[in-house]
Amino acid sequence: MSVIVKTERLRVEYPNRESRNGPKVALAGLDLQVNAGEVFGFLGPNGAGKTTTMNVLLGFVPPSSGTASLFGIDVRQPIARQRIGYLPENTYYYKFLTAEELLRFYARIFGLNGAEADKRIAELLKLVELEHAGKRQIKTYSKGMQQRVGLAQALINNPELLILDEPTSGLDPLGRMKVRQIIQRLKAEGKTVFFSSHELGEVETVCDRVAIVRQGELRVQGRVSDLVQQHNCDLEKIFLKIVGYEINALP
């Protein structure tokens, strides 16, 4: 099985002007491995280093030490960006555009034009269940619809790897269900999906494997079923235990 995402002893430090105790450590020797065709959940409390990890993988933030690679290529080297799709946690689109216009804009960025772009846009609007609203301005969309058009733009280049930062953040149960269904369809197509989330029920449902980080360090990594069996509890209680909550104190 080929490795799509890999980090080894990955460390990221930021200058800390508010303290004399040295730089702020966002990642402290993180080791991850994501295999081709799997859905991988990246979990941790706020400030654990999840977004920083994604920013390193995408080339937005340089590692202070250690290595990170995509498709076997160090992220500090020029890599095939056309093989990656990305959905940030907080998306912003020109809301006067329609979904079709937005997707056509991104299609042009990736060199898709004419009939090829038309076909891809139609396929994606159907995938995210927005074909009925493709000619409506995005400003008329609900939060869930905006998130789904964001997924569509992340898929416009038919990427092998999809990186999603909190894809169900702020969505109601119906919106979360639709995003979960889209992720499951992508997995069925052989895509590799790497995403962070606080929705542990969703993660337990769709992920093959997960990693839990705390304070920039990997605490747990493995198949969801194996972790549940090993800890003799569900993923939510495993997460709470890892991040330091007393399970016995819960009602």
Side-chain angles (χ1 to χ4, degrees):
M1 184 176 295
S2 59
V3 177
I4 300 297
V5 177
K6 187 173 185 179
T7 70
E8 293 183 298
R9 301 180 300 279
L10 183 64
R11 186 177 183 87
V12 175
E13 298 178 352
Y14 295 111
N16 191 348
R17 298 180 178 85
E18 299 178 357
S19 172
R20 296 181 179 178
N21 297 325
K24 177 183 177 181
V25 178
L27 295 175
L30 184 67
D31 293 319
L32 287 177
Q33 181 172 306
V34 180
N35 300 316
E38 71 177 352
V39 178
F40 190 95
F42 194 38
L43 313 177
N46 291 333
K50 302 185 302 297
T51 298
T52 296
T53 302
M54 292 184 173
N55 286 338
V56 170
L57 295 175
L58 292 160
F60 301 153
V61 172
S64 302
S65 63
T67 62
S69 62
L70 296 173
F71 308 104
I73 303 171
D74 192 300
V75 295
R76 288 171 287 197
Q77 302 297 322
I79 67 171
R81 295 295 180 192
Q82 289 199 346
R83 300 170 73 183
I84 305 168
Y86 171 56
L87 177 66
E89 178 179 3
N90 298 310
T91 59
Y92 179 81
Y93 304 117
Y94 294 111
K95 295 186 177 181
F96 58 83
L97 295 177
T98 68
E100 289 183 358
E101 290 169 340
L102 177 75
L103 294 178
R104 197 169 305 282
F105 170 75
Y106 282 99
R108 290 197 190 108
I109 291 176
F110 286 100
L112 300 178
N113 292 291
E116 184 181 12
D118 291 342
K119 180 181 178 183
R120 185 65 181 155
I121 290 168
E123 291 172 348
L124 289 174
L125 288 175
K126 182 177 181 180
L127 173 68
V128 300
E129 299 182 12
L130 289 175
E131 63 266 42
H132 66 287
K135 298 186 183 302
R136 279 171 48 190
Q137 290 182 314
I138 294 172
K139 67 181 180 182
T140 69
Y141 282 15
S142 67
K143 168 69 173 175
M145 294 171 72
Q146 289 184 28
Q147 198 74 340
R148 276 148 49 205
V149 80
L151 275 171
Q153 71 79 21
L155 291 165
I156 193 68
N157 57 321
N158 196 22
E160 298 171 51
L161 169 65
L162 195 62
I163 297 178
L164 311 175
D165 194 355
E166 296 289 347
T168 59
S169 175
L171 300 187
D172 62 18
L174 178 60
R176 293 199 302 271
M177 181 195 72
K178 288 183 179 294
V179 171
R180 182 175 71 238
Q181 289 174 339
I182 292 167
I183 291 174
Q184 289 172 328
R185 290 175 197 164
L186 295 172
K187 177 184 175 181
E189 294 176 7
K191 307 288 187 188
T192 304
V193 182
F194 178 88
F195 76 99
S196 68
S197 178
H198 288 112
E199 302 291 343
L200 300 181
E202 304 291 321
V203 170
E204 191 164 1
T205 300
V206 303
C207 288
D208 300 299
R209 292 193 304 127
V210 299
I212 301 177
V213 292
R214 182 188 181 200
Q215 296 177 341
E217 296 181 349
L218 178 68
R219 299 304 174 96
V220 166
Q221 182 174 204
R223 295 188 65 83
V224 174
S225 57
D226 293 341
L227 293 176
V228 168
Q229 184 175 10
Q230 177 185 345
H231 291 266
N232 196 31
C233 59
D234 61 23
L235 186 61
E236 181 178 26
K237 289 185 177 179
I238 295 171
F239 177 86
L240 293 174
K241 187 187 300 183
I242 293 300
V243 301
Y245 285 91
E246 290 292 334
I247 302 299
N248 294 334
L250 296 175

